Coordinates of all heavy atoms in Angstrom, one line a residue:
V1 N -20.2 56.5 -82.9 CA -19.7 56.2 -81.7 C -18.6 55.1 -81.8 O -18.9 54.3 -82.7 CB -20.9 55.8 -80.7 CG1 -21.6 54.6 -81.3 CG2 -20.3 55.6 -79.3
H2 N -17.6 55.2 -81.0 CA -16.5 54.1 -80.9 C -17.0 52.9 -80.1 O -17.3 53.1 -78.8 CB -15.3 54.7 -80.5 CG -14.3 53.6 -80.3 ND1 -13.6 53.0 -81.4 CD2 -13.8 53.0 -79.3 CE1 -12.7 52.1 -81.0 NE2 -12.8 52.1 -79.7
V3 N -17.2 51.9 -80.6 CA -17.7 50.6 -79.8 C -16.5 49.6 -79.8 O -16.0 49.3 -80.9 CB -18.8 50.0 -80.5 CG1 -19.3 48.7 -79.7 CG2 -20.1 50.9 -80.5
P4 N -16.0 49.3 -78.6 CA -14.8 48.4 -78.6 C -15.2 47.0 -78.9 O -16.3 46.5 -78.5 CB -14.3 48.5 -77.1 CG -15.5 49.1 -76.3 CD -16.3 49.9 -77.3
V5 N -14.5 46.4 -79.8 CA -14.7 45.0 -80.3 C -13.6 44.2 -79.9 O -12.3 44.5 -80.0 CB -14.9 45.0 -81.8 CG1 -15.0 43.6 -82.3 CG2 -16.1 45.9 -82.3
I6 N -13.7 43.0 -79.3 CA -12.8 42.1 -78.8 C -12.7 41.0 -79.8 O -13.7 40.4 -80.3 CB -13.1 41.5 -77.4 CG1 -13.3 42.8 -76.3 CG2 -12.1 40.6 -76.9 CD1 -14.0 42.4 -75.2
T7 N -11.5 40.7 -80.2 CA -11.2 39.6 -81.1 C -10.4 38.4 -80.4 O -9.3 38.7 -79.8 CB -10.5 40.0 -82.3 OG1 -11.2 41.1 -82.9 CG2 -10.3 38.9 -83.4
C8 N -10.9 37.1 -80.6 CA -10.2 36.0 -80.0 C -8.9 35.8 -80.8 O -8.9 35.7 -82.0 CB -11.1 34.8 -79.9 SG -10.3 33.3 -79.5
A9 N -7.8 35.7 -80.1 CA -6.5 35.6 -80.7 C -6.4 34.1 -81.4 O -5.7 34.0 -82.4 CB -5.4 35.8 -79.8
D10 N -7.1 33.2 -80.9 CA -7.1 31.8 -81.3 C -7.9 31.5 -82.5 O -7.5 31.0 -83.6 CB -7.5 30.8 -80.2 CG -6.5 30.7 -79.1 OD1 -5.2 31.1 -79.4 OD2 -7.0 30.5 -78.0
C11 N -9.2 32.0 -82.6 CA -10.1 31.7 -83.6 C -10.6 32.9 -84.5 O -11.3 32.7 -85.4 CB -11.3 31.0 -83.1 SG -12.4 32.1 -82.0
G12 N -10.2 34.1 -84.0 CA -10.6 35.3 -84.7 C -12.1 35.7 -84.5 O -12.6 36.7 -85.0
F13 N -12.8 35.0 -83.5 CA -14.2 35.4 -83.2 C -14.2 36.8 -82.7 O -13.4 37.2 -81.7 CB -14.8 34.3 -82.2 CG -16.2 34.7 -81.9 CD1 -17.2 34.5 -82.8 CD2 -16.5 35.2 -80.6 CE1 -18.6 34.7 -82.4 CE2 -17.8 35.5 -80.2 CZ -18.8 35.3 -81.1
R14 N -15.1 37.6 -83.1 CA -15.2 39.0 -82.6 C -16.6 39.1 -81.9 O -17.6 38.6 -82.2 CB -15.2 39.9 -83.9 CG -13.9 39.9 -84.6 CD -13.9 40.7 -85.7 NE -14.1 42.2 -85.3 CZ -13.9 43.2 -86.1 NH1 -13.5 43.2 -87.4 NH2 -14.0 44.4 -85.4
F15 N -16.4 39.9 -80.8 CA -17.6 40.0 -79.9 C -17.4 41.4 -79.2 O -16.4 42.0 -79.1 CB -17.8 39.0 -78.9 CG -16.7 38.7 -77.9 CD1 -16.7 39.2 -76.7 CD2 -15.5 38.0 -78.4 CE1 -15.6 39.0 -75.8 CE2 -14.5 37.8 -77.5 CZ -14.4 38.3 -76.2
T16 N -18.5 41.9 -78.6 CA -18.5 43.0 -77.7 C -18.9 42.6 -76.3 O -19.4 41.6 -76.1 CB -19.5 44.1 -78.3 OG1 -20.8 43.6 -78.3 CG2 -19.1 44.5 -79.6
D17 N -18.6 43.5 -75.4 CA -18.8 43.2 -73.9 C -19.6 44.5 -73.3 O -20.1 45.3 -74.1 CB -17.6 43.0 -73.2 CG -16.6 44.2 -73.1 OD1 -17.0 45.3 -73.7 OD2 -15.6 44.0 -72.6
Q18 N -19.7 44.6 -72.1 CA -20.4 45.7 -71.4 C -20.0 47.0 -71.8 O -20.8 47.9 -71.9 CB -20.2 45.4 -69.8 CG -21.1 46.5 -69.1 CD -22.6 46.3 -69.3 OE1 -23.1 45.3 -69.6 NE2 -23.3 47.5 -69.1
R19 N -18.7 47.2 -72.0 CA -18.2 48.5 -72.5 C -18.9 48.9 -73.8 O -19.2 50.2 -74.0 CB -16.7 48.6 -72.6 CG -15.9 48.3 -71.4 CD -14.4 48.1 -71.6 NE -14.3 46.9 -72.4 CZ -13.1 46.6 -73.1 NH1 -12.1 47.5 -73.1 NH2 -13.1 45.5 -73.8
A20 N -19.1 48.0 -74.8 CA -19.8 48.4 -76.0 C -21.2 48.7 -75.7 O -21.8 49.8 -76.2 CB -19.8 47.2 -77.0
E21 N -21.9 48.1 -74.8 CA -23.3 48.4 -74.5 C -23.4 49.7 -73.8 O -24.3 50.6 -74.2 CB -23.9 47.4 -73.5 CG -24.0 46.0 -74.1 CD -25.0 46.0 -75.4 OE1 -25.9 46.7 -75.4 OE2 -24.5 45.4 -76.3
V22 N -22.5 50.1 -73.0 CA -22.4 51.4 -72.4 C -22.2 52.6 -73.4 O -22.8 53.5 -73.5 CB -21.4 51.6 -71.2 CG1 -21.1 53.0 -70.8 CG2 -21.8 50.6 -70.0
A23 N -21.4 52.3 -74.3 CA -21.0 53.2 -75.3 C -22.3 53.4 -76.3 O -22.5 54.6 -76.7 CB -19.8 52.8 -76.2
R24 N -23.0 52.4 -76.6 CA -24.1 52.5 -77.4 C -25.2 53.3 -76.7 O -25.9 54.1 -77.3 CB -24.7 51.1 -77.8 CG -23.8 50.4 -78.7 CD -24.5 49.0 -79.2 NE -23.7 48.2 -79.9 CZ -23.1 47.0 -79.5 NH1 -23.3 46.6 -78.4 NH2 -22.3 46.4 -80.4
R25 N -25.5 52.9 -75.4 CA -26.4 53.6 -74.7 C -26.2 55.0 -74.6 O -27.0 55.9 -74.7 CB -26.5 52.9 -73.3 CG -27.7 53.5 -72.4 CD -27.8 52.9 -71.0 NE -27.3 51.7 -70.9 CZ -26.4 51.5 -69.9 NH1 -25.9 52.4 -69.1 NH2 -25.9 50.2 -69.8
E26 N -24.9 55.5 -74.2 CA -24.5 56.9 -74.1 C -24.7 57.6 -75.5 O -25.2 58.7 -75.4 CB -23.1 56.9 -73.7 CG -22.8 56.3 -72.3 CD -22.7 57.4 -71.2 OE1 -22.4 58.5 -71.5 OE2 -23.0 56.9 -70.0
A27 N -24.5 56.9 -76.6 CA -24.6 57.5 -77.9 C -26.1 57.9 -78.0 O -26.5 58.9 -78.6 CB -24.3 56.6 -78.9
V28 N -27.1 57.0 -77.6 CA -28.5 57.2 -77.8 C -28.9 58.4 -77.0 O -29.6 59.4 -77.5 CB -29.3 56.0 -77.4 CG1 -30.8 56.3 -77.2 CG2 -29.1 54.9 -78.3
Y29 N -28.4 58.6 -75.7 CA -28.7 59.7 -74.9 C -28.2 61.0 -75.5 O -28.9 62.0 -75.6 CB -28.1 59.6 -73.4 CG -28.9 58.6 -72.6 CD1 -28.4 57.3 -72.5 CD2 -30.0 59.1 -71.9 CE1 -29.1 56.4 -71.7 CE2 -30.6 58.1 -71.1 CZ -30.2 56.8 -70.9 OH -31.0 55.9 -70.1
R30 N -26.9 60.9 -76.0 CA -26.4 62.2 -76.7 C -27.1 62.5 -77.8 O -27.4 63.7 -78.2 CB -25.0 61.9 -76.9 CG -24.1 61.7 -75.8 CD -23.7 62.9 -75.0 NE -22.9 62.6 -73.9 CZ -23.2 63.0 -72.6 NH1 -24.2 63.8 -72.4 NH2 -22.4 62.6 -71.6
H31 N -27.5 61.6 -78.7 CA -28.2 61.8 -79.9 C -29.6 62.4 -79.6 O -30.1 63.5 -80.3 CB -28.5 60.7 -80.7 CG -29.3 60.8 -82.0 ND1 -28.8 61.4 -83.1 CD2 -30.6 60.4 -82.1 CE1 -29.8 61.4 -83.9 NE2 -30.7 60.9 -83.5
R32 N -30.3 62.2 -78.6 CA -31.6 62.6 -78.2 C -31.5 63.8 -77.2 O -32.5 64.3 -76.9 CB -32.4 61.5 -77.4 CG -32.7 60.4 -78.5 CD -33.6 59.3 -77.8 NE -34.9 60.0 -77.3 CZ -35.8 59.3 -76.6 NH1 -35.4 58.1 -76.1 NH2 -36.8 59.9 -76.2
N33 N -30.2 64.2 -76.9 CA -29.9 65.4 -76.1 C -30.5 65.3 -74.6 O -31.2 66.2 -74.2 CB -30.4 66.7 -76.7 CG -29.8 68.0 -76.1 OD1 -28.7 67.8 -75.6 ND2 -30.5 69.1 -76.1
L34 N -30.4 64.0 -74.1 CA -30.9 63.8 -72.8 C -29.8 63.5 -71.8 O -28.6 63.2 -72.2 CB -31.8 62.5 -72.9 CG -33.0 62.5 -73.7 CD1 -33.7 61.2 -73.7 CD2 -34.0 63.5 -73.1
L35 N -30.0 63.7 -70.5 CA -29.0 63.4 -69.5 C -28.7 61.9 -69.4 O -29.6 61.2 -69.6 CB -29.6 63.9 -68.2 CG -29.7 65.3 -67.9 CD1 -30.6 65.6 -66.6 CD2 -28.4 66.0 -67.8
T36 N -27.5 61.6 -69.3 CA -27.2 60.2 -69.2 C -27.4 59.7 -67.7 O -27.6 60.5 -66.9 CB -25.7 59.9 -69.5 OG1 -24.9 60.6 -68.5 CG2 -25.3 60.5 -70.9
P37 N -27.4 58.4 -67.6 CA -27.8 57.9 -66.2 C -26.7 58.4 -65.2 O -27.1 58.8 -64.1 CB -27.6 56.3 -66.4 CG -28.1 56.1 -67.8 CD -27.5 57.2 -68.6
S38 N -25.4 58.5 -65.6 CA -24.5 58.9 -64.6 C -24.8 60.5 -64.3 O -24.5 61.0 -63.1 CB -23.2 58.7 -65.0 OG -22.9 59.2 -66.3
E39 N -25.1 61.2 -65.3 CA -25.5 62.7 -65.1 C -26.7 62.9 -64.1 O -26.7 63.7 -63.3 CB -25.7 63.3 -66.4 CG -24.5 63.5 -67.3 CD -24.7 63.9 -68.7 OE1 -25.8 63.7 -69.2 OE2 -23.8 64.6 -69.2
I40 N -27.7 61.9 -64.4 CA -28.9 62.1 -63.5 C -28.5 61.7 -62.1 O -28.9 62.5 -61.1 CB -29.9 61.0 -63.9 CG1 -30.4 61.5 -65.4 CG2 -31.0 61.0 -63.0 CD1 -31.4 60.4 -66.1
K41 N -27.7 60.7 -61.9 CA -27.3 60.3 -60.5 C -26.4 61.5 -59.9 O -26.5 61.8 -58.7 CB -26.5 59.1 -60.5 CG -26.2 58.5 -59.1 CD -25.5 57.2 -59.2 CE -25.3 56.5 -57.8 NZ -24.8 55.1 -57.8
S42 N -25.6 62.0 -60.7 CA -24.6 63.1 -60.2 C -25.6 64.4 -59.7 O -25.3 65.0 -58.8 CB -23.7 63.5 -61.3 OG -22.9 64.6 -60.9
I43 N -26.6 64.6 -60.5 CA -27.4 65.8 -60.2 C -28.0 65.6 -58.9 O -28.1 66.4 -58.0 CB -28.6 66.1 -61.3 CG1 -27.8 66.7 -62.6 CG2 -29.7 66.9 -60.8 CD1 -28.8 66.7 -63.7
R44 N -28.6 64.3 -58.7 CA -29.2 64.1 -57.4 C -28.3 64.0 -56.3 O -28.5 64.7 -55.2 CB -29.9 62.6 -57.6 CG -30.5 62.2 -56.2 CD -31.1 60.9 -56.3 NE -30.3 59.7 -56.6 CZ -29.4 59.2 -55.8 NH1 -29.4 59.5 -54.5 NH2 -28.7 58.3 -56.3
E45 N -27.1 63.5 -56.4 CA -26.2 63.3 -55.3 C -25.3 64.6 -55.1 O -25.2 65.0 -53.9 CB -25.3 62.2 -55.5 CG -26.0 60.8 -55.4 CD -24.9 59.6 -55.6 OE1 -23.9 59.9 -56.3 OE2 -25.2 58.6 -55.3
N46 N -24.8 65.1 -56.1 CA -23.8 66.3 -56.0 C -24.4 67.6 -55.9 O -24.0 68.4 -55.3 CB -22.8 66.1 -57.1 CG -22.0 64.8 -57.0 OD1 -21.8 64.3 -56.0 ND2 -21.6 64.3 -58.1
V47 N -25.5 67.8 -56.8 CA -26.0 69.1 -56.9 C -27.1 69.3 -55.7 O -27.1 70.4 -55.0 CB -26.8 69.3 -58.2 CG1 -27.6 70.6 -58.2 CG2 -25.9 69.3 -59.3
H48 N -28.0 68.4 -55.5 CA -29.0 68.4 -54.5 C -28.5 67.7 -53.2 O -29.1 68.0 -52.0 CB -30.3 67.9 -54.9 CG -30.9 68.6 -56.0 ND1 -31.4 69.9 -55.9 CD2 -30.9 68.3 -57.3 CE1 -31.8 70.4 -57.0 NE2 -31.5 69.4 -58.1
G49 N -27.6 66.8 -53.2 CA -27.2 66.1 -52.0 C -28.3 65.3 -51.3 O -28.3 65.1 -50.1
L50 N -29.1 64.7 -52.2 CA -30.2 64.0 -51.7 C -30.2 62.4 -51.9 O -29.6 62.1 -52.9 CB -31.6 64.4 -52.3 CG -31.9 66.0 -52.0 CD1 -33.1 66.3 -52.8 CD2 -32.2 66.1 -50.5
S51 N -30.7 61.6 -51.0 CA -30.9 60.2 -51.4 C -31.9 60.1 -52.5 O -32.6 61.1 -52.8 CB -31.3 59.5 -50.2 OG -32.7 59.9 -49.8
R52 N -32.0 59.0 -53.0 CA -32.9 58.8 -54.2 C -34.4 59.0 -53.6 O -35.2 59.6 -54.2 CB -32.8 57.3 -54.8 CG -33.8 57.2 -56.0 CD -33.6 55.9 -56.6 NE -32.2 55.7 -57.2 CZ -31.5 54.6 -57.2 NH1 -32.0 53.6 -56.6 NH2 -30.3 54.5 -57.7
R53 N -34.7 58.5 -52.4 CA -36.0 58.6 -51.8 C -36.3 60.1 -51.6 O -37.4 60.6 -51.9 CB -36.1 57.8 -50.5 CG -37.4 57.9 -49.9 CD -37.5 57.2 -48.5 NE -38.8 56.6 -48.6 CZ -39.1 55.4 -48.0 NH1 -38.1 54.8 -47.4 NH2 -40.2 54.9 -48.1
A54 N -35.4 60.8 -50.9 CA -35.6 62.2 -50.7 C -35.8 63.0 -52.0 O -36.7 63.9 -52.1 CB -34.6 62.8 -49.9
F55 N -35.0 62.7 -52.9 CA -35.1 63.4 -54.2 C -36.5 63.2 -54.9 O -37.2 64.0 -55.4 CB -34.1 63.0 -55.2 CG -33.9 63.8 -56.5 CD1 -33.1 64.9 -56.6 CD2 -34.5 63.3 -57.6 CE1 -33.0 65.7 -57.7 CE2 -34.5 64.1 -58.8 CZ -33.8 65.3 -58.9
D56 N -37.0 61.8 -54.9 CA -38.2 61.5 -55.5 C -39.4 62.2 -54.7 O -40.3 62.7 -55.4 CB -38.5 60.0 -55.5 CG -37.4 59.2 -56.2 OD1 -36.7 59.8 -57.0 OD2 -37.2 58.0 -55.9
E57 N -39.3 62.3 -53.5 CA -40.4 62.9 -52.7 C -40.3 64.5 -52.9 O -41.4 65.0 -53.1 CB -40.3 62.7 -51.2 CG -40.5 61.3 -50.9 CD -40.2 60.9 -49.4 OE1 -39.8 61.8 -48.6 OE2 -40.5 59.7 -49.0
A58 N -39.2 65.1 -53.0 CA -39.0 66.5 -53.2 C -39.6 66.9 -54.7 O -40.2 68.0 -54.7 CB -37.7 66.9 -53.1
F59 N -39.4 66.1 -55.6 CA -39.8 66.5 -57.0 C -41.0 65.6 -57.5 O -41.4 65.8 -58.6 CB -38.7 66.2 -57.9 CG -37.6 67.2 -57.7 CD1 -36.5 66.9 -56.9 CD2 -37.5 68.5 -58.1 CE1 -35.5 67.8 -56.5 CE2 -36.6 69.4 -57.8 CZ -35.5 69.1 -57.0
G60 N -41.6 64.9 -56.6 CA -42.8 64.1 -57.1 C -42.6 63.1 -58.1 O -43.4 62.9 -59.0
L61 N -41.4 62.4 -58.0 CA -41.0 61.5 -59.0 C -41.3 60.0 -58.4 O -41.3 59.8 -57.2 CB -39.6 61.5 -59.4 CG -39.3 62.9 -60.2 CD1 -37.7 62.9 -60.2 CD2 -39.9 62.9 -61.5
S62 N -41.5 59.0 -59.3 CA -41.6 57.8 -58.9 C -40.3 57.1 -58.4 O -39.3 57.2 -59.3 CB -42.3 56.9 -60.0 OG -42.0 55.5 -59.9
Q63 N -40.1 56.4 -57.4 CA -38.9 55.8 -57.0 C -38.4 54.8 -57.9 O -37.2 54.7 -58.3 CB -38.9 55.1 -55.6 CG -39.0 56.1 -54.5 CD -39.0 55.4 -53.2 OE1 -39.2 54.2 -53.1 NE2 -38.9 56.2 -52.1
A64 N -39.4 54.0 -58.5 CA -39.0 53.0 -59.6 C -38.4 53.7 -60.8 O -37.5 53.3 -61.3 CB -40.2 52.1 -59.8
S65 N -39.1 54.8 -61.3 CA -38.7 55.4 -62.5 C -37.2 56.0 -62.3 O -36.4 55.9 -63.2 CB -39.6 56.5 -63.0 OG -40.8 56.0 -63.3
M66 N -37.0 56.6 -61.2 CA -35.8 57.3 -60.9 C -34.7 56.2 -60.8 O -33.6 56.4 -61.4 CB -35.9 58.0 -59.6 CG -34.6 58.9 -59.3 SD -34.6 60.3 -60.5 CE -33.1 61.1 -60.0
E67 N -34.9 55.1 -60.2 CA -34.0 54.0 -60.1 C -33.6 53.5 -61.6 O -32.5 53.3 -62.0 CB -34.5 52.8 -59.4 CG -33.4 51.7 -59.3 CD -33.9 50.6 -58.4 OE1 -35.0 50.8 -57.8 OE2 -33.3 49.5 -58.4
R68 N -34.7 53.3 -62.4 CA -34.4 52.9 -63.8 C -33.7 54.0 -64.7 O -32.9 53.5 -65.5 CB -35.8 52.6 -64.5 CG -36.5 51.4 -63.9 CD -37.7 51.1 -64.5 NE -38.5 50.0 -63.8 CZ -39.7 50.2 -63.3 NH1 -40.4 51.4 -63.5 NH2 -40.3 49.2 -62.7
W69 N -34.0 55.2 -64.4 CA -33.2 56.2 -65.2 C -31.7 56.2 -64.7 O -30.8 56.3 -65.7 CB -33.8 57.6 -64.8 CG -35.2 57.9 -65.4 CD1 -35.9 57.2 -66.3 CD2 -36.0 58.8 -64.9 NE1 -37.2 57.7 -66.4 CE2 -37.3 58.7 -65.5 CE3 -36.0 59.8 -63.9 CZ2 -38.4 59.5 -65.4 CZ3 -37.1 60.6 -63.8 CH2 -38.3 60.5 -64.4
E70 N -31.4 56.1 -63.4 CA -30.0 56.1 -63.0 C -29.4 54.8 -63.4 O -28.1 54.9 -63.6 CB -30.1 56.2 -61.4 CG -30.4 57.6 -61.0 CD -30.2 57.9 -59.5 OE1 -29.6 56.9 -58.8 OE2 -30.4 58.9 -59.1
N71 N -30.0 53.6 -63.6 CA -29.4 52.4 -64.0 C -29.4 52.3 -65.4 O -28.8 51.2 -66.0 CB -30.0 51.3 -63.3 CG -29.8 51.3 -61.8 OD1 -28.8 51.7 -61.3 ND2 -30.8 50.9 -61.0
G72 N -29.9 53.2 -66.2 CA -30.0 53.0 -67.7 C -31.0 52.0 -68.2 O -30.9 51.6 -69.3
K73 N -31.9 51.6 -67.3 CA -32.8 50.5 -67.9 C -34.0 51.1 -68.5 O -34.9 50.5 -69.2 CB -33.3 49.7 -66.6 CG -32.2 48.9 -66.0 CD -32.7 48.1 -64.8 CE -31.5 47.3 -64.2 NZ -31.9 46.7 -63.0
L74 N -34.2 52.5 -68.4 CA -35.3 53.2 -68.9 C -34.8 54.6 -69.3 O -34.1 55.3 -68.5 CB -36.5 53.3 -68.0 CG -37.7 54.2 -68.4 CD1 -38.4 53.3 -69.5 CD2 -38.6 54.3 -67.2
I75 N -35.1 55.0 -70.5 CA -34.7 56.4 -71.0 C -35.9 57.3 -70.6 O -37.0 57.1 -70.9 CB -34.4 56.3 -72.5 CG1 -33.2 55.5 -72.9 CG2 -34.2 57.9 -72.9 CD1 -33.0 55.5 -74.3
Q76 N -35.5 58.3 -69.8 CA -36.5 59.3 -69.5 C -37.1 60.1 -70.7 O -36.5 60.2 -71.6 CB -36.0 60.3 -68.4 CG -34.9 61.3 -68.9 CD -33.4 60.8 -69.0 OE1 -33.2 59.5 -69.0 NE2 -32.5 61.6 -69.2
S77 N -38.3 60.6 -70.5 CA -39.0 61.4 -71.5 C -38.4 62.8 -71.5 O -37.5 63.1 -70.6 CB -40.5 61.6 -71.2 OG -40.7 62.4 -70.0
E78 N -38.7 63.6 -72.5 CA -38.1 64.8 -72.6 C -38.6 65.8 -71.6 O -37.9 66.5 -71.0 CB -38.4 65.4 -74.0 CG -37.7 64.8 -75.1 CD -38.0 65.5 -76.5 OE1 -38.4 66.7 -76.5 OE2 -37.7 64.8 -77.5
A79 N -39.8 65.5 -71.1 CA -40.4 66.4 -70.0 C -39.7 66.0 -68.7 O -39.4 66.9 -67.9 CB -41.9 66.1 -69.9
A80 N -39.4 64.7 -68.5 CA -38.8 64.4 -67.2 C -37.4 64.8 -67.2 O -36.8 65.3 -66.2 CB -38.8 62.8 -67.0
D81 N -36.7 64.8 -68.4 CA -35.3 65.3 -68.5 C -35.4 66.8 -68.3 O -34.4 67.3 -67.5 CB -34.8 65.1 -70.0 CG -33.3 65.3 -70.1 OD1 -32.6 64.4 -69.7 OD2 -33.0 66.3 -70.6
T82 N -36.3 67.6 -68.7 CA -36.4 68.9 -68.4 C -36.5 69.2 -66.9 O -35.7 70.1 -66.3 CB -37.6 69.6 -69.1 OG1 -37.4 69.5 -70.5 CG2 -37.6 71.1 -68.9
L83 N -37.3 68.4 -66.2 CA -37.6 68.6 -64.8 C -36.2 68.3 -64.1 O -35.8 68.9 -63.2 CB -38.6 67.6 -64.3 CG -38.7 67.5 -62.8 CD1 -39.3 68.8 -62.2 CD2 -39.7 66.4 -62.4
L84 N -35.5 67.2 -64.5 CA -34.3 66.9 -63.9 C -33.2 67.9 -64.0 O -32.4 68.2 -63.1 CB -33.7 65.5 -64.5 CG -34.5 64.3 -64.1 CD1 -34.0 63.1 -65.0 CD2 -34.3 64.0 -62.6
R85 N -33.1 68.6 -65.1 CA -32.2 69.7 -65.5 C -32.6 71.0 -64.6 O -31.7 71.7 -64.2 CB -32.1 70.1 -67.0 CG -31.6 69.0 -67.8 CD -31.6 69.4 -69.2 NE -31.3 68.3 -70.1 CZ -30.1 68.1 -70.5 NH1 -29.1 69.0 -70.3 NH2 -29.7 67.2 -71.4
A86 N -33.9 71.2 -64.3 CA -34.3 72.3 -63.6 C -33.8 72.3 -62.1 O -33.5 73.1 -61.5 CB -35.8 72.5 -63.7

């Protein structure tokens, strides 16, 4: 995965920012063949046209888990990923 690195022009200090974290996270999802947070949100909003609450109730999911999956704070299990894809 390409991770952007920022270098200070004055001192040469190298660091990464939020873009690098997103790239790393996306690489983990791709490696594990799981939907990314943005793909999960897109399925809920664009495919089903549902609010998070309505989607959770329709599919028997926890609102907290769905929020964490969409925000990338928790990686969904393979079983949950299969449900989301269905």
Side-chain angles (χ1 to χ4, degrees):
V1 64
H2 174 74
V3 176
V5 176
I6 302 164
T7 304
C8 175
D10 295 330
C11 68
F13 179 75
R14 298 178 61 167
F15 62 97
T16 60
D17 62 5
Q18 182 63 25
R19 293 174 298 164
E21 293 305 316
V22 169
R24 288 184 189 109
R25 185 179 340 122
E26 298 260 332
V28 169
Y29 284 95
R30 298 281 178 233
H31 178 74
R32 294 183 61 195
N33 197 31
L34 298 173
L35 293 167
T36 65
S38 60
E39 290 170 330
I40 293 171
K41 187 173 184 177
S42 178
I43 287 171
R44 178 181 57 79
E45 292 179 339
N46 300 325
V47 176
H48 296 287
L50 297 173
S51 67
R52 188 179 292 143
R53 177 181 223 149
F55 188 88
D56 297 343
E57 289 174 1
F59 293 96
L61 297 169
S62 159
Q63 286 183 348
S65 292
M66 191 69 179
E67 181 180 350
R68 290 179 190 123
W69 295 340
E70 286 186 4
N71 292 326
K73 294 178 182 175
L74 177 69
I75 297 177
Q76 70 276 16
S77 67
E78 288 182 23
D81 193 80
T82 299
L83 175 65
L84 292 167
R85 291 174 188 269

